[in-house]
């Protein structure tokens, strides 16, 4: 009896999800295989606390040291939570894989909606692919750090070519994993959550216990020492240290991009976003406090090592203990990458479904065997590999990918949140609703993202040379410039045919025609012209 009741509730939830999606104009194409925990899991696993903090310690240590790690994390986490709550309201009202650009088009004024949706779609695509690149590059660096720790003399230093080769192998393996069926990918998220939480707790507890006395710091040093190694004024250096928490607690729009695969999406997606940010903020702060107390006072040696966190663990646990713990960090970082590829491929699929990407007809295909968008998986991974080529331009160039992922996504996040209040729309909140606090929280979130997006365009040190420049400006705005060139291109540009989200389902016809056969809209003249232009 209980089983039949549970099955009945599940079927009712699925029908409600499909009806809500149909009201947004889309037919159900994915399998609804993600539970609430698994929807939370994809956002939390992409955040991947400990491996993420390991990847970006090179931002916080030289820009304030322990004080920046501890208090910078705390300050940034609060503002990031505001961003997540504002996004959660939009996700609850319209849970679709297109998410950000769909909301932008729905909420913006008619004069600007097509252009703004186009910009948000490309910023989201670039940001998602940059997130793949930054996560997997961090994983490759961690693998080579393990090789350095495990070498006999501990003096092995990987070349850019060696690290890039490992990076390519990681990205390609993620492409293979994310071509699997939806149910397999959903079940993996639970495993990812469990390993991430256990790893965080292990470090928070074990690191202070294992650290020798010579590397233990006093409370005044751990919580109050400010060390500026990069040369910017102290206040600005402290702000630059925010990139560590901002990059770590980012890409939480991943839960939005699997909305069409989540059960009870209008409820679980916003709570997945807010829950992932909240838990990550608390656990991440505890990890940074633990590191600050156990990193020693020689910050220059730590930052000059191949991997700062690996050096801290080596000092505390010794070679064997460090390698054992580091192996789990690499595994969790690897899991982050696969989840990011999954989310990015869904966003690209949705954007191609509406005809906005080059070769959209090819990208908008569901594999008949796995029932997943295999083509967009490979599309995202190939472009992530191309971004990895920045490694050959120098350390600063490849590190710009970390800034790129934050700035591009913040552009994509801020526009739909702003459009809700500035555009001509009749926004109807979903189950997740902030009430009278919606406006103040949204304003704070947008101002925060605008400020930090500007800050992260600066180089890591003042008066940089060519190799030390911040290439975020070149890659991000170069891509967005090209997208605008294509949009306004004479005759074939998007301005002539892009009309925003394309309905793939209609209401049941009044003449009694079979509704299933009439559900897919045949392309009109604009859509025909669009298909011709995209497949050139």
């Amino acid at each position: 009896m209980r089983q039949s009741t549970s099955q009945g509730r599940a079927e009712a939830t699925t029908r409600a999800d499909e009806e809500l999606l149909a009201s947004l104009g889309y037919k159900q194409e994915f399998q609804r295989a993600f539970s609430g925990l698994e929807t939370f899991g994809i956002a939390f696993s992409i955040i991947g606390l400990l491996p993420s903090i390991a990847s970006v310690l090179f931002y916080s240590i030289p820009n304030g040291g322990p004080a920046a790690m501890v208090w910078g994390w705390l300050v940034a986490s609060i503002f990031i939570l505001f961003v997540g709550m504002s996004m959660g309201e939009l996700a609850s009202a319209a849970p679709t894989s297109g998410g950000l650009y769909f909301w932008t088009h729905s909420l913006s004024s008619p004069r600007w909606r097509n252009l703004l949706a186009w910009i948000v779609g490309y910023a989201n695509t670039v940001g998602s692919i940059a997130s793949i690149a930054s996560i997997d590059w961090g994983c490759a660096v961690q693998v080579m750090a393990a090789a350095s720790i495990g070498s006999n003399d501990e003096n092995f230093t990987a070349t850019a070519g060696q690290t890039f080769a490992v990076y390519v192998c990681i990205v390609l393996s993620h492409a293979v994993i994310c071509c699997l069926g939806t149910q397999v990918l959903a079940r993996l998220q639970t495993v990812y959550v469990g390993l991430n939480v256990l790893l965080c707790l292990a470090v928070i507890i074990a690191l202070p216990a294992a650290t020798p006395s010579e590397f233990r710091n006093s409370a005044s040093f751990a919580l109050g020492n400010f060390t500026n190694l990069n040369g910017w004024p102290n206040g600005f250096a402290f702000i630059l240290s925010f990139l560590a928490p901002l990059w770590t607690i980012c890409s939480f729009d991943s839960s939005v991009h699997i909305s069409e695969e989540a059960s009870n999406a209008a409820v679980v997606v916003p709570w997945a976003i807010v829950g992932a940010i909240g838990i990550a903020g608390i656990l991440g702060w505890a990890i940074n406090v633990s590191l600050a107390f156990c990193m020693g006072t020689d910050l220059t040696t730590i930052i000059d090592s191949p991997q700062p966190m690996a050096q801290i663990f080596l000092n505390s646990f010794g070679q064997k203990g460090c390698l054992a713990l580091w192996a789990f960090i690499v595994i969790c970082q690897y899991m982050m990458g696969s989840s990011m590829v999954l989310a990015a491929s869904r966003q690209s699929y949705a954007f191609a479904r509406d005809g906005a990407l080059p070769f959209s007809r090819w990208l908008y295909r569901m594999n008949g065997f796995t029932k997943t968008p295999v083509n967009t998986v490979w599309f995202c991974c190939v472009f992530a590999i191309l971004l990895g080529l920045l490694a050959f331009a120098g350390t600063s160039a490849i590190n710009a990918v970390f800034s790129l992922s934050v700035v591009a996504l913040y552009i994509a996040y801020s526009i739909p949140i702003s459009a809700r209040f500035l555009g001509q729309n009749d926004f109807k909140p979903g189950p997740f609703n902030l009430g009278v606090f919606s406006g103040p929280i949204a304003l704070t979130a947008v101002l925060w993202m605008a400020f930090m997006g500007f800050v992260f365009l600066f180089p890591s040190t003042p008066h940089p040379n060519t190799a030390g420049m911040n290439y975020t400006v070149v890659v991000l705005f170069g891509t967005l410039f090209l997208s605008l060139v294509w949009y306004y291109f004479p005759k074939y540009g998007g301005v002539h045919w892009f009309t925003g989200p394309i309905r793939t389902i209609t209401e049941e016809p009044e003449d009694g025609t079979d509704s299933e056969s009439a559900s897919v809209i045949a392309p009109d003249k604009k859509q025909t012209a669009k298909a011709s232009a995209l497949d050139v």
Side-chain angles (χ1 to χ4, degrees):
M1 179 67 71
R2 289 182 179 178
Q3 185 175 0
S4 61
T5 302
S6 177
Q7 184 177 359
R9 289 177 180 173
E11 291 175 352
T13 301
T14 300
R15 285 196 300 270
D17 284 323
E18 292 179 359
E19 289 170 2
L20 177 56
L21 185 62
S23 71
L24 300 176
Y26 295 121
K27 62 180 178 179
Q28 185 69 46
E29 297 177 289
F30 290 95
Q31 295 178 337
R32 295 263 178 191
F34 279 78
S35 66
L37 176 61
E38 291 157 351
T39 305
F40 160 83
I42 190 169
F44 189 74
S45 65
I46 288 175
I47 289 173
L49 275 175
L50 191 64
S52 290
I53 294 172
S55 295
V56 289
L57 268 183
F58 63 86
Y59 276 103
S60 53
I61 291 179
N63 287 304
M69 293 167 59
V70 174
W71 304 118
W73 182 280
L74 183 62
V75 171
S77 296
I78 295 171
F79 286 102
I80 295 169
L81 183 60
F82 287 171
V83 177
M85 289 191 290
S86 294
M87 183 184 294
E89 283 195 298
L90 299 178
S92 183
T96 174
S97 296
L100 304 169
Y101 80 87
F102 181 94
W103 305 332
T104 300
H105 192 273
S106 301
L107 299 172
S108 299
S109 300
R111 180 180 178 183
W112 301 107
R113 62 175 43 145
N114 290 344
L115 175 60
L116 289 177
W118 182 277
I119 292 172
V120 168
Y122 272 94
N124 200 186
T125 302
V126 171
S128 297
I129 293 175
S131 294
I132 295 172
S134 58
I135 291 170
D136 283 359
W137 183 260
C139 187
V141 170
Q142 290 169 4
V143 170
M144 303 315 286
S148 176
I149 295 170
S151 62
N152 292 329
D153 55 5
E154 296 183 12
N155 288 324
F156 168 75
T157 301
T159 64
Q162 290 171 328
T163 307
F164 180 76
V166 173
Y167 168 76
V168 171
C169 292
I170 291 171
V171 175
L172 293 178
S173 65
H174 285 155
V176 173
I177 291 173
C178 290
C179 289
L180 299 174
T182 299
Q183 290 187 343
V184 176
L185 296 172
R187 301 299 92 81
L188 286 174
Q189 304 310 313
T190 303
V191 177
Y192 294 174
V193 170
L195 283 177
N196 269 290
V197 171
L198 289 175
L199 184 60
C200 291
L201 294 177
V203 170
I204 292 170
I205 297 170
L207 184 61
T211 302
S213 58
E214 62 264 29
F215 293 109
R216 292 180 186 173
N217 294 324
S218 64
S220 60
F221 182 90
L223 303 179
N225 177 268
F226 191 92
T227 301
N228 185 352
L229 301 177
N230 280 345
W232 287 108
N234 286 347
F236 190 70
F238 182 72
I239 293 171
L240 284 175
S241 74
F242 290 171
L243 181 61
L246 262 65
W247 183 82
T248 301
I249 312 177
C250 195
S251 297
F252 39 80
D253 59 308
S254 54
S255 293
V256 174
H257 300 313
I258 62 162
S259 293
E260 296 175 29
E261 299 168 78
S263 178
N264 197 17
V267 174
V268 302
V269 170
W271 281 110
I273 294 171
V274 174
I277 295 172
I279 294 174
I282 295 170
L283 286 178
W285 186 78
I287 290 171
N288 277 284
V289 169
S290 181
L291 290 171
F293 273 95
C294 302
M295 66 194 301
T297 58
D298 189 359
L299 303 186
T300 303
T301 299
I302 293 174
I303 201 64
D304 288 341
S305 65
Q307 219 298 334
M309 186 178 282
Q311 186 63 47
I312 295 172
F313 286 170
L314 182 63
N315 294 340
S316 297
F317 295 107
Q319 185 186 53
K320 292 183 179 179
C322 176
L323 281 175
L325 181 60
W326 200 250
F328 286 100
I329 291 177
V330 173
I331 291 171
C332 286
Q333 180 88 3
Y334 183 85
M335 293 173 175
M336 287 171 57
S338 68
S339 294
M340 191 64 239
V341 172
L342 171 62
S345 66
R346 273 35 175 187
Q347 191 277 332
S348 298
Y349 177 83
F351 207 32
R353 176 171 61 189
D354 294 320
L357 287 174
F359 307 104
S360 284
R361 182 177 294 177
W362 178 77
L363 292 173
Y364 178 42
R365 289 182 183 175
M366 193 73 71
N367 184 274
F369 179 71
T370 63
K371 307 298 182 185
T372 55
V374 170
N375 291 355
T376 54
V377 169
W378 287 99
F379 167 81
C380 292
C381 289
V382 167
F383 275 93
I385 290 173
L386 294 178
L387 266 182
L389 292 172
L390 286 171
F392 296 102
T395 302
S396 295
I398 189 61
N399 287 345
V401 176
F402 291 84
S403 301
L404 172 63
S405 61
V406 174
V407 177
L409 289 177
Y410 273 15
I411 291 173
Y413 293 173
S414 60
I415 293 178
I417 293 174
S418 301
R420 174 188 167 183
F421 297 95
L422 301 178
Q424 299 174 16
N425 61 74
D426 182 22
F427 178 77
K428 295 181 175 61
F432 182 89
N433 181 18
L434 300 175
V436 295
F437 297 103
S438 294
I441 288 176
L443 177 61
T444 303
V446 171
L447 291 176
W448 164 259
M449 289 187 286
F451 175 66
M452 295 311 303
F454 176 74
V455 167
F456 289 153
L457 299 180
F458 282 79
S460 59
T461 59
H463 313 297
N465 54 23
T466 303
M469 283 296 296
N470 187 337
Y471 288 86
T472 301
V473 176
V474 178
V475 179
L476 173 60
F477 291 100
T479 304
L480 292 180
F481 174 76
L482 291 176
S483 72
L484 289 175
V485 168
W486 183 29
Y487 184 78
Y488 286 110
F489 198 81
K491 189 177 179 180
Y492 296 105
V495 69
H496 301 290
W497 47 260
F498 180 71
T499 56
I502 303 171
R503 293 181 63 88
T504 61
I505 194 169
T506 60
E507 302 295 335
E508 184 172 346
E510 296 180 359
D511 60 4
T513 307
D514 180 78
S515 61
E516 186 173 68
S517 63
S519 64
V520 179
I521 298 178
D524 58 18
K525 291 182 180 179
K526 285 186 178 180
Q527 305 301 344
T528 303
K530 178 193 307 185
S532 300
L534 292 174
D535 292 321
V536 171

